[in-house]
Amino acid sequence: MTATTIALLRAKPTQFAPAAVRTALREWAFNTNRRPDAPRDVVAILRWVERNSLPVSAWEDPEKVDQVLRAIDTRLDGKQAAAWSRKRNRRILNVAMKYAVRRRVLRTNPLPKGKESTTAVKTTNAVDKRSLLNPEQAAAVLDWIRRRPRGGERLHAFFATLYYCGPRPEEAVAMRVEDVVLPDPDAVDQWCELLIHTATPEVGKQWTDTGEIHEQRDLKGRAEGETRTVPGHPALTRILRQHIEDEQLKPGDLLFQGESGGILAGSVIRRAWRSARKAVLPPHVFESPTGRRVYDNRNTRLTKWLNDGIPPAQVAEWAGNSVAVLLASYARCIEGQLPDLKRRLEAAGDLPDQPSTS
């Protein structure tokens, strides 16, 4: 919306720095909680923007609409934004246009429709195979994190949970000790079980009603109150059992905590993961997509489940995806099954021999 607003100004702001205008719009004008408390310098900028904004009738001009679309498709350095960013920006703008039509501010939605709206924005849900970690790489990164002087053991338990069970990071940080079912230490079956029921993504304290950085939500793409259970490898059972004992955690406590006892911060998670990759991976691998994001632990686990022959419907249930989304995302990463598939096809036989006509 910031780029859209700036694109619809009559003139460029010469008396204000461009960065100051963007900040005033993003942090104050578009935030209804903070808008009444905007400082004096911000109020001056917003009043200037209001005076210099084009009327709503500008949306009836196709050239002006194209100008706005170019603006939201372009980064601040003048280069084209990534395909996913362009698609997201257009989707958000389309929601705003539909709202304007519903409120009778606009007569019709002026944005392109159908194929015309997506021709320039092609994206794929498929996971990049290069982003997946092999077992040796995952083991080295996790071991480095475990040996980290500051909070290493705690972070190791968190990343091990991502790697072995594949929850989304915002789901893992929301888990409580009571959400983990650990078997008796003497039991033959040492698989644990995780109950996933809440997500706490980072949205910024200026955007939450509580003033907290994280916002508590239901699971992504699921009905309100829906949960799912995921089995945890015996290796994870040992890690979590030791983690709970070392941290002296009680059932109602957060399973993974920050240094002050609160929710584990995303900045800490990302910094530890990047440091570990840089420390253990060769430079050319560190610069590659391999494990670049914390989320790649989830991608690696879901791919491994599929490659190990776990039925897609079961993997989708553990992952909290639909089967369609799972296959669209990970089909390109499935490997190692071709020899078996060839044997099945050969066993089905060839065309029957036809009698000779001579």
Side-chain angles (χ1 to χ4, degrees):
M1 299 308 295
T2 299
T4 298
T5 302
I6 293 175
L8 292 173
L9 292 175
R10 289 190 176 89
K12 293 183 178 181
T14 56
Q15 65 269 52
F16 305 111
V21 176
R22 291 193 299 272
T23 300
L25 290 170
R26 184 182 64 250
E27 301 295 333
W28 300 95
F30 300 144
N31 190 322
T32 56
N33 291 333
R34 303 185 70 198
R35 191 184 303 156
D37 302 321
R40 184 175 300 176
D41 58 332
V42 171
V43 171
I45 294 174
L46 296 182
R47 286 177 176 171
W48 180 90
V49 170
E50 185 176 4
R51 291 194 304 270
N52 286 273
S53 292
L54 293 173
V56 175
S57 59
W59 287 104
E60 298 177 3
D61 182 355
E63 291 187 6
K64 185 58 67 175
V65 173
D66 289 342
Q67 181 181 330
V68 171
L69 293 178
R70 285 194 297 271
I72 65 175
D73 287 348
T74 306
R75 302 188 316 191
L76 293 178
D77 60 5
K79 297 181 180 179
Q80 188 178 63
W84 271 112
S85 295
R86 305 200 310 273
K87 188 173 184 178
R88 183 188 66 244
N89 292 342
R90 290 186 179 220
R91 185 183 297 122
I92 293 171
L93 185 58
N94 194 56
V95 170
M97 294 297 101
K98 289 181 178 179
Y99 178 78
V101 172
R102 192 164 61 249
R103 296 295 299 269
R104 293 184 172 83
V105 176
L106 292 173
R107 290 180 295 179
T108 60
N109 187 339
L111 300 182
K113 300 173 181 61
K115 291 184 178 181
E116 183 183 357
S117 66
T118 58
T119 300
V121 187
K122 294 188 179 296
T123 60
T124 177
N125 292 323
V127 170
D128 187 346
K129 192 175 181 178
R130 299 173 300 167
S131 69
L132 305 179
L133 295 153
N134 63 42
E136 291 74 23
Q137 292 168 336
V141 172
L142 289 176
D143 185 63
W144 188 93
I145 291 173
R146 182 177 62 83
R147 298 171 185 273
R148 190 173 183 259
R150 187 172 177 178
E153 294 284 354
R154 186 185 306 116
L155 286 167
H156 174 256
F158 170 78
F159 285 113
T161 300
L162 297 187
Y163 177 77
Y164 281 110
C165 290
R168 299 176 178 89
E170 63 266 26
E171 296 170 343
V173 297
M175 290 181 61
R176 303 278 172 175
V177 176
E178 61 192 7
D179 298 328
V180 182
V181 179
L182 297 174
D184 188 88
D186 299 326
V188 176
D189 184 354
Q190 283 297 302
W191 283 77
C192 63
E193 188 175 80
L194 306 186
L195 177 65
I196 311 293
H197 57 82
T198 306
T200 53
E202 285 186 327
V203 297
K205 61 183 180 181
Q206 69 270 34
W207 297 103
T208 61
D209 294 334
T210 61
E212 300 291 333
I213 295 176
H214 297 80
E215 183 176 68
Q216 185 168 311
R217 300 177 183 174
D218 290 303
L219 299 182
K220 182 179 179 181
R222 291 293 180 267
E224 183 177 351
E226 190 171 339
T227 66
R228 71 178 192 273
T229 56
V230 188
H233 192 278
L236 180 62
T237 298
R238 294 191 295 271
I239 293 170
L240 292 181
R241 182 181 285 123
Q242 191 65 48
H243 168 69
I244 293 171
E245 180 181 334
D246 290 345
E247 297 292 319
Q248 300 181 349
L249 299 175
K250 296 178 174 54
D253 293 340
L254 284 169
L255 182 60
F256 308 115
Q257 302 178 2
E259 291 185 345
S260 60
I263 194 167
L264 188 58
S267 58
V268 173
I269 295 169
R270 292 187 292 272
R271 187 163 56 246
W273 184 252
R274 187 180 189 282
S275 298
R277 287 184 68 250
K278 190 171 186 178
V280 304
L281 299 178
H284 70 282
V285 178
F286 172 74
E287 296 296 337
S288 76
T290 303
R292 182 178 293 168
R293 305 177 305 157
V294 173
Y295 201 93
D296 289 327
N297 283 282
R298 171 177 166 86
N299 292 337
T300 298
R301 175 49 48 185
L302 269 57
T303 298
K304 190 175 190 313
W305 278 335
L306 291 170
N307 283 330
D308 288 345
I310 307 298
Q314 183 61 74
V315 176
E317 171 63 25
W318 290 343
N321 283 339
S322 67
V323 175
V325 168
L326 180 81
L327 294 179
S329 300
Y330 297 97
R332 296 180 184 177
C333 300
I334 300 175
E335 59 182 15
Q337 300 180 18
L338 185 58
D340 180 60
L341 295 175
K342 287 180 178 178
R343 285 192 295 270
R344 293 186 189 183
L345 293 172
E346 287 180 355
D350 200 349
L351 292 174
D353 293 333
Q354 298 297 311
S356 175
T357 57
S358 58

